[in-house]
Short mmCIF file of all heavy atoms in Angstrom, two decimals:
data_model
loop_
_atom_site.label_atom_id
_atom_site.label_comp_id
_atom_site.label_asym_id
_atom_site.label_seq_id
_atom_site.Cartn_x
_atom_site.Cartn_y
_atom_site.Cartn_z
N SER A 1 -122.38 0.55 -31.38
CA SER A 1 -123.78 0.25 -31.84
C SER A 1 -124.75 0.71 -30.74
O SER A 1 -124.67 0.16 -29.55
CB SER A 1 -123.80 -1.27 -32.01
OG SER A 1 -125.09 -1.72 -32.08
N MET A 2 -125.66 1.53 -31.08
CA MET A 2 -126.74 1.91 -30.18
C MET A 2 -127.60 0.68 -29.87
O MET A 2 -128.11 0.59 -28.72
CB MET A 2 -127.61 3.03 -30.74
CG MET A 2 -127.01 4.44 -30.41
SD MET A 2 -126.58 4.71 -28.58
CE MET A 2 -128.15 4.55 -27.90
N PRO A 3 -127.95 -0.17 -30.79
CA PRO A 3 -128.73 -1.44 -30.37
C PRO A 3 -128.06 -2.18 -29.26
O PRO A 3 -128.78 -2.71 -28.37
CB PRO A 3 -128.75 -2.25 -31.72
CG PRO A 3 -128.81 -1.17 -32.77
CD PRO A 3 -127.83 -0.17 -32.29
N LEU A 4 -126.70 -2.29 -29.20
CA LEU A 4 -126.10 -2.91 -28.13
C LEU A 4 -126.24 -2.15 -26.80
O LEU A 4 -126.36 -2.76 -25.73
CB LEU A 4 -124.54 -3.09 -28.40
CG LEU A 4 -124.09 -4.14 -29.42
CD1 LEU A 4 -122.58 -4.28 -29.39
CD2 LEU A 4 -124.80 -5.53 -28.98
N ILE A 5 -126.20 -0.78 -26.94
CA ILE A 5 -126.46 0.07 -25.67
C ILE A 5 -127.88 -0.22 -25.26
O ILE A 5 -128.02 -0.45 -23.96
CB ILE A 5 -126.27 1.51 -26.07
CG1 ILE A 5 -124.80 1.81 -26.51
CG2 ILE A 5 -126.67 2.34 -24.85
CD1 ILE A 5 -123.78 1.61 -25.42
N PHE A 6 -128.82 -0.25 -26.13
CA PHE A 6 -130.18 -0.55 -25.71
C PHE A 6 -130.36 -1.92 -25.04
O PHE A 6 -131.02 -2.06 -24.06
CB PHE A 6 -131.14 -0.42 -26.93
CG PHE A 6 -131.24 0.91 -27.51
CD1 PHE A 6 -131.50 1.15 -28.91
CD2 PHE A 6 -131.05 2.09 -26.77
CE1 PHE A 6 -131.57 2.37 -29.43
CE2 PHE A 6 -131.13 3.39 -27.37
CZ PHE A 6 -131.35 3.49 -28.61
N LEU A 7 -129.77 -2.91 -25.68
CA LEU A 7 -129.88 -4.26 -25.11
C LEU A 7 -129.22 -4.27 -23.73
O LEU A 7 -129.70 -4.95 -22.85
CB LEU A 7 -129.23 -5.23 -26.09
CG LEU A 7 -129.93 -5.58 -27.35
CD1 LEU A 7 -129.06 -6.52 -28.30
CD2 LEU A 7 -131.29 -6.25 -27.08
N GLY A 8 -128.00 -3.67 -23.61
CA GLY A 8 -127.36 -3.64 -22.32
C GLY A 8 -128.19 -3.02 -21.24
O GLY A 8 -128.28 -3.47 -20.09
N LYS A 9 -128.85 -1.89 -21.58
CA LYS A 9 -129.73 -1.24 -20.58
C LYS A 9 -130.94 -2.15 -20.24
O LYS A 9 -131.34 -2.15 -19.03
CB LYS A 9 -130.23 0.07 -21.18
CG LYS A 9 -129.21 1.14 -21.32
CD LYS A 9 -129.63 2.39 -21.97
CE LYS A 9 -130.57 3.18 -21.08
NZ LYS A 9 -129.84 3.81 -19.94
N MET A 10 -131.43 -2.91 -21.24
CA MET A 10 -132.53 -3.84 -20.91
C MET A 10 -132.06 -4.93 -19.96
O MET A 10 -132.83 -5.38 -19.13
CB MET A 10 -133.03 -4.48 -22.16
CG MET A 10 -133.83 -3.58 -23.10
SD MET A 10 -134.09 -4.30 -24.74
CE MET A 10 -135.06 -5.73 -24.22
N LEU A 11 -130.79 -5.23 -20.01
CA LEU A 11 -130.16 -6.24 -19.14
C LEU A 11 -129.77 -5.71 -17.78
O LEU A 11 -129.21 -6.40 -16.98
CB LEU A 11 -128.99 -6.89 -19.81
CG LEU A 11 -129.42 -7.83 -21.00
CD1 LEU A 11 -128.10 -8.14 -21.83
CD2 LEU A 11 -130.03 -9.12 -20.57
N GLY A 12 -129.95 -4.42 -17.58
CA GLY A 12 -129.63 -3.80 -16.26
C GLY A 12 -128.21 -3.31 -16.15
O GLY A 12 -127.73 -2.88 -15.14
N LEU A 13 -127.57 -3.13 -17.40
CA LEU A 13 -126.17 -2.63 -17.34
C LEU A 13 -126.26 -1.09 -17.43
O LEU A 13 -127.05 -0.52 -18.14
CB LEU A 13 -125.36 -3.13 -18.52
CG LEU A 13 -125.31 -4.71 -18.66
CD1 LEU A 13 -124.47 -5.09 -19.93
CD2 LEU A 13 -124.62 -5.26 -17.39
N PRO A 14 -125.37 -0.41 -16.70
CA PRO A 14 -125.38 1.07 -16.69
C PRO A 14 -124.74 1.74 -17.91
O PRO A 14 -123.81 2.49 -17.83
CB PRO A 14 -124.57 1.41 -15.36
CG PRO A 14 -123.67 0.28 -15.32
CD PRO A 14 -124.33 -0.94 -15.75
N LEU A 15 -125.24 1.37 -19.07
CA LEU A 15 -124.72 1.86 -20.31
C LEU A 15 -125.52 3.07 -20.72
O LEU A 15 -126.73 3.21 -20.51
CB LEU A 15 -124.75 0.83 -21.40
CG LEU A 15 -123.91 -0.47 -21.22
CD1 LEU A 15 -124.14 -1.41 -22.41
CD2 LEU A 15 -122.47 -0.09 -21.08
N GLU A 16 -124.85 4.14 -21.23
CA GLU A 16 -125.41 5.33 -21.68
C GLU A 16 -125.18 5.64 -23.13
O GLU A 16 -124.26 5.01 -23.72
CB GLU A 16 -124.89 6.49 -20.76
CG GLU A 16 -125.14 6.29 -19.33
CD GLU A 16 -124.56 7.42 -18.48
OE1 GLU A 16 -124.49 8.53 -18.95
OE2 GLU A 16 -124.03 7.14 -17.34
N ARG A 17 -125.80 6.65 -23.70
CA ARG A 17 -125.59 6.99 -25.07
C ARG A 17 -124.16 7.45 -25.32
O ARG A 17 -123.64 7.21 -26.39
CB ARG A 17 -126.45 8.20 -25.47
CG ARG A 17 -127.97 7.74 -25.64
CD ARG A 17 -128.81 8.94 -26.06
NE ARG A 17 -130.24 8.58 -26.06
CZ ARG A 17 -130.88 8.01 -27.11
NH1 ARG A 17 -130.13 7.75 -28.21
NH2 ARG A 17 -132.16 7.65 -27.05
N LYS A 18 -123.54 8.02 -24.30
CA LYS A 18 -122.14 8.46 -24.50
C LYS A 18 -121.15 7.28 -24.72
O LYS A 18 -120.06 7.39 -25.19
CB LYS A 18 -121.67 9.24 -23.28
CG LYS A 18 -121.48 8.52 -22.01
CD LYS A 18 -120.98 9.40 -20.94
CE LYS A 18 -120.77 8.57 -19.63
NZ LYS A 18 -120.17 9.38 -18.48
N HIS A 19 -121.54 6.03 -24.28
CA HIS A 19 -120.78 4.87 -24.48
C HIS A 19 -120.82 4.27 -25.86
O HIS A 19 -120.14 3.38 -26.23
CB HIS A 19 -121.15 3.80 -23.41
CG HIS A 19 -120.90 4.18 -22.07
ND1 HIS A 19 -121.85 4.06 -21.04
CD2 HIS A 19 -119.81 4.82 -21.50
CE1 HIS A 19 -121.33 4.56 -19.97
NE2 HIS A 19 -120.14 4.99 -20.17
N ARG A 20 -121.66 4.87 -26.77
CA ARG A 20 -121.70 4.49 -28.13
C ARG A 20 -120.67 5.40 -28.82
O ARG A 20 -120.91 6.53 -29.11
CB ARG A 20 -123.07 4.68 -28.71
CG ARG A 20 -123.28 4.10 -30.13
CD ARG A 20 -123.17 5.15 -31.19
NE ARG A 20 -123.44 4.71 -32.54
CZ ARG A 20 -123.28 5.43 -33.61
NH1 ARG A 20 -122.89 6.66 -33.53
NH2 ARG A 20 -123.67 4.91 -34.77
N THR A 21 -119.48 4.78 -29.16
CA THR A 21 -118.35 5.64 -29.66
C THR A 21 -117.91 5.15 -31.01
O THR A 21 -116.82 4.59 -31.15
CB THR A 21 -117.16 5.57 -28.67
OG1 THR A 21 -116.87 4.21 -28.39
CG2 THR A 21 -117.54 6.31 -27.37
N ALA A 22 -118.84 5.30 -31.99
CA ALA A 22 -118.39 4.96 -33.39
C ALA A 22 -117.19 5.68 -33.90
O ALA A 22 -117.13 6.86 -33.63
CB ALA A 22 -119.68 5.10 -34.32
N PHE A 23 -116.33 4.95 -34.65
CA PHE A 23 -115.15 5.61 -35.10
C PHE A 23 -115.36 6.86 -35.90
O PHE A 23 -114.59 7.85 -35.72
CB PHE A 23 -114.37 4.56 -35.92
CG PHE A 23 -112.92 5.06 -36.29
CD1 PHE A 23 -111.93 5.01 -35.36
CD2 PHE A 23 -112.69 5.43 -37.53
CE1 PHE A 23 -110.70 5.42 -35.68
CE2 PHE A 23 -111.36 5.86 -37.88
CZ PHE A 23 -110.36 5.84 -36.98
N LEU A 24 -116.39 6.93 -36.71
CA LEU A 24 -116.62 8.13 -37.40
C LEU A 24 -116.96 9.35 -36.60
O LEU A 24 -116.88 10.46 -37.00
CB LEU A 24 -117.82 7.88 -38.46
CG LEU A 24 -117.51 7.15 -39.74
CD1 LEU A 24 -118.61 7.00 -40.63
CD2 LEU A 24 -116.34 7.92 -40.49
N ASP A 25 -117.41 9.07 -35.30
CA ASP A 25 -117.74 10.12 -34.46
C ASP A 25 -116.53 10.70 -33.72
O ASP A 25 -116.62 11.83 -33.19
CB ASP A 25 -118.74 9.64 -33.41
CG ASP A 25 -120.16 9.39 -33.98
OD1 ASP A 25 -120.47 10.07 -34.95
OD2 ASP A 25 -120.82 8.44 -33.46
N TRP A 26 -115.44 10.03 -33.69
CA TRP A 26 -114.26 10.53 -32.94
C TRP A 26 -112.96 10.48 -33.75
O TRP A 26 -111.94 10.87 -33.28
CB TRP A 26 -114.06 9.80 -31.57
CG TRP A 26 -113.98 8.29 -31.75
CD1 TRP A 26 -114.98 7.34 -31.69
CD2 TRP A 26 -112.75 7.43 -31.85
NE1 TRP A 26 -114.52 6.10 -31.83
CE2 TRP A 26 -113.13 6.13 -31.90
CE3 TRP A 26 -111.42 7.86 -31.91
CZ2 TRP A 26 -112.23 5.11 -32.00
CZ3 TRP A 26 -110.45 6.81 -32.11
CH2 TRP A 26 -110.90 5.42 -32.10
N HIS A 27 -113.00 10.04 -35.06
CA HIS A 27 -111.78 9.99 -35.75
C HIS A 27 -111.14 11.49 -35.92
O HIS A 27 -109.90 11.54 -35.87
CB HIS A 27 -111.98 9.44 -37.15
CG HIS A 27 -112.62 10.26 -38.12
ND1 HIS A 27 -114.03 10.44 -38.20
CD2 HIS A 27 -112.13 11.08 -39.08
CE1 HIS A 27 -114.37 11.33 -39.17
NE2 HIS A 27 -113.20 11.64 -39.72
N GLU A 28 -111.93 12.48 -36.06
CA GLU A 28 -111.43 13.83 -36.17
C GLU A 28 -110.64 14.27 -34.89
O GLU A 28 -109.64 14.93 -34.95
CB GLU A 28 -112.51 14.84 -36.51
CG GLU A 28 -113.00 14.63 -37.95
CD GLU A 28 -114.06 15.71 -38.27
OE1 GLU A 28 -114.52 16.44 -37.36
OE2 GLU A 28 -114.48 15.79 -39.49
N ASP A 29 -111.26 13.88 -33.81
CA ASP A 29 -110.63 14.20 -32.54
C ASP A 29 -109.22 13.43 -32.38
O ASP A 29 -108.22 14.07 -31.96
CB ASP A 29 -111.49 13.75 -31.37
CG ASP A 29 -112.80 14.54 -31.22
OD1 ASP A 29 -112.75 15.78 -31.58
OD2 ASP A 29 -113.77 13.99 -30.85
N LEU A 30 -109.25 12.17 -32.88
CA LEU A 30 -107.97 11.39 -32.79
C LEU A 30 -106.96 12.06 -33.71
O LEU A 30 -105.80 12.24 -33.30
CB LEU A 30 -108.22 9.99 -33.22
CG LEU A 30 -107.04 9.04 -33.32
CD1 LEU A 30 -106.33 8.92 -31.95
CD2 LEU A 30 -107.42 7.74 -33.93
N LEU A 31 -107.30 12.41 -34.93
CA LEU A 31 -106.33 12.96 -35.87
C LEU A 31 -105.84 14.29 -35.43
O LEU A 31 -104.72 14.67 -35.56
CB LEU A 31 -107.04 13.05 -37.26
CG LEU A 31 -107.37 11.74 -37.90
CD1 LEU A 31 -108.14 11.97 -39.20
CD2 LEU A 31 -106.12 10.88 -38.15
N SER A 32 -106.74 15.13 -34.88
CA SER A 32 -106.28 16.45 -34.36
C SER A 32 -105.34 16.29 -33.19
O SER A 32 -104.33 16.94 -33.10
CB SER A 32 -107.51 17.26 -33.93
OG SER A 32 -108.41 17.55 -34.99
N LEU A 33 -105.62 15.34 -32.31
CA LEU A 33 -104.81 15.04 -31.17
C LEU A 33 -103.44 14.56 -31.62
O LEU A 33 -102.36 14.93 -31.15
CB LEU A 33 -105.46 14.10 -30.22
CG LEU A 33 -104.75 13.71 -28.89
CD1 LEU A 33 -104.51 15.04 -28.08
CD2 LEU A 33 -105.45 12.65 -28.16
N ALA A 34 -103.44 13.65 -32.65
CA ALA A 34 -102.21 13.12 -33.23
C ALA A 34 -101.35 14.21 -33.77
O ALA A 34 -100.12 14.28 -33.63
CB ALA A 34 -102.49 12.06 -34.23
N GLU A 35 -101.94 15.17 -34.49
CA GLU A 35 -101.28 16.27 -35.10
C GLU A 35 -100.66 17.20 -34.02
O GLU A 35 -99.51 17.59 -34.04
CB GLU A 35 -102.21 17.09 -35.90
CG GLU A 35 -101.53 18.26 -36.72
CD GLU A 35 -102.50 19.00 -37.53
OE1 GLU A 35 -103.64 19.28 -37.08
OE2 GLU A 35 -102.09 19.55 -38.55
N ALA A 36 -101.49 17.41 -32.93
CA ALA A 36 -100.96 18.36 -31.86
C ALA A 36 -99.86 17.66 -31.05
O ALA A 36 -98.85 18.30 -30.58
CB ALA A 36 -102.10 18.61 -30.97
N LYS A 37 -99.97 16.35 -30.92
CA LYS A 37 -98.91 15.55 -30.06
C LYS A 37 -97.81 15.00 -30.88
O LYS A 37 -96.90 14.40 -30.30
CB LYS A 37 -99.60 14.43 -29.40
CG LYS A 37 -100.75 14.80 -28.41
CD LYS A 37 -100.17 15.40 -27.16
CE LYS A 37 -101.24 15.67 -26.10
NZ LYS A 37 -100.68 16.14 -24.80
N ASP A 38 -97.84 15.24 -32.23
CA ASP A 38 -96.74 14.76 -33.07
C ASP A 38 -96.65 13.26 -33.11
O ASP A 38 -95.55 12.65 -33.10
CB ASP A 38 -95.32 15.42 -32.79
CG ASP A 38 -94.37 15.18 -33.98
OD1 ASP A 38 -94.82 15.13 -35.07
OD2 ASP A 38 -93.20 15.21 -33.64
N TRP A 39 -97.84 12.55 -33.11
CA TRP A 39 -97.82 11.12 -33.11
C TRP A 39 -97.76 10.73 -34.60
O TRP A 39 -98.33 11.36 -35.45
CB TRP A 39 -99.12 10.59 -32.50
CG TRP A 39 -99.29 10.86 -31.08
CD1 TRP A 39 -98.31 11.20 -30.16
CD2 TRP A 39 -100.57 10.76 -30.35
NE1 TRP A 39 -98.90 11.30 -28.93
CE2 TRP A 39 -100.21 11.06 -28.97
CE3 TRP A 39 -101.89 10.52 -30.73
CZ2 TRP A 39 -101.24 11.06 -28.06
CZ3 TRP A 39 -102.88 10.47 -29.69
CH2 TRP A 39 -102.48 10.78 -28.39
N ARG A 40 -97.06 9.64 -34.90
CA ARG A 40 -96.94 9.05 -36.21
C ARG A 40 -97.99 8.02 -36.45
O ARG A 40 -98.24 7.13 -35.56
CB ARG A 40 -95.56 8.46 -36.39
CG ARG A 40 -94.47 9.43 -36.38
CD ARG A 40 -93.09 8.77 -36.58
NE ARG A 40 -92.83 7.72 -35.65
CZ ARG A 40 -92.45 7.87 -34.39
NH1 ARG A 40 -92.22 9.06 -33.94
NH2 ARG A 40 -92.23 6.90 -33.57
N ILE A 41 -98.73 8.06 -37.52
CA ILE A 41 -99.81 7.13 -37.92
C ILE A 41 -99.40 6.43 -39.22
O ILE A 41 -98.97 7.01 -40.12
CB ILE A 41 -101.15 7.87 -38.08
CG1 ILE A 41 -101.54 8.53 -36.80
CG2 ILE A 41 -102.26 6.80 -38.49
CD1 ILE A 41 -102.84 9.34 -36.89
N PHE A 42 -99.59 5.05 -39.22
CA PHE A 42 -99.41 4.34 -40.44
C PHE A 42 -100.78 3.71 -40.71
O PHE A 42 -101.38 3.03 -39.94
CB PHE A 42 -98.41 3.24 -40.21
CG PHE A 42 -97.88 2.54 -41.51
CD1 PHE A 42 -96.54 2.88 -41.89
CD2 PHE A 42 -98.67 1.87 -42.39
CE1 PHE A 42 -96.11 2.35 -43.15
CE2 PHE A 42 -98.21 1.39 -43.60
CZ PHE A 42 -96.92 1.59 -43.96
N TYR A 43 -101.33 4.07 -41.92
CA TYR A 43 -102.67 3.58 -42.32
C TYR A 43 -102.50 2.50 -43.33
O TYR A 43 -101.86 2.65 -44.32
CB TYR A 43 -103.52 4.74 -42.86
CG TYR A 43 -104.85 4.27 -43.23
CD1 TYR A 43 -105.92 4.29 -42.33
CD2 TYR A 43 -105.20 3.82 -44.55
CE1 TYR A 43 -107.23 3.88 -42.66
CE2 TYR A 43 -106.40 3.39 -44.91
CZ TYR A 43 -107.44 3.44 -43.96
OH TYR A 43 -108.73 2.95 -44.30
N VAL A 44 -103.14 1.34 -43.13
CA VAL A 44 -103.19 0.26 -44.03
C VAL A 44 -104.68 -0.02 -44.45
O VAL A 44 -105.55 -0.37 -43.58
CB VAL A 44 -102.61 -1.00 -43.52
CG1 VAL A 44 -102.65 -2.17 -44.52
CG2 VAL A 44 -101.18 -0.81 -43.01
N GLY A 45 -104.94 0.11 -45.74
CA GLY A 45 -106.34 -0.17 -46.18
C GLY A 45 -106.68 0.67 -47.32
O GLY A 45 -106.11 1.64 -47.62
#
């Protein structure tokens, strides 16, 4: 959540935009890595 990043920065915490890591932004990286590493995934939902 970028609002949490903004609030953290207001509180003096060294949070940056890169620390906002929404699942939709990195799920493709995870799936590609899982494919390359032969990791098994079980999805429920």
Side-chain angles (χ1 to χ4, degrees):
S1 164
M2 276 308 298
L4 284 186
I5 298 294
F6 295 149
L7 288 174
K9 291 175 72 69
M10 289 171 60
L11 291 165
L13 303 179
L15 298 178
E16 304 176 29
R17 289 182 185 272
K18 69 177 183 178
H19 295 134
R20 188 262 188 185
T21 52
F23 188 73
L24 280 180
D25 291 331
W26 55 271
H27 76 278
E28 291 183 349
D29 295 324
L30 176 64
L31 294 174
S32 296
L33 185 62
E35 183 181 35
K37 298 286 186 178
D38 197 27
W39 296 342
R40 294 180 305 280
I41 299 177
F42 197 111
Y43 181 90
V44 181

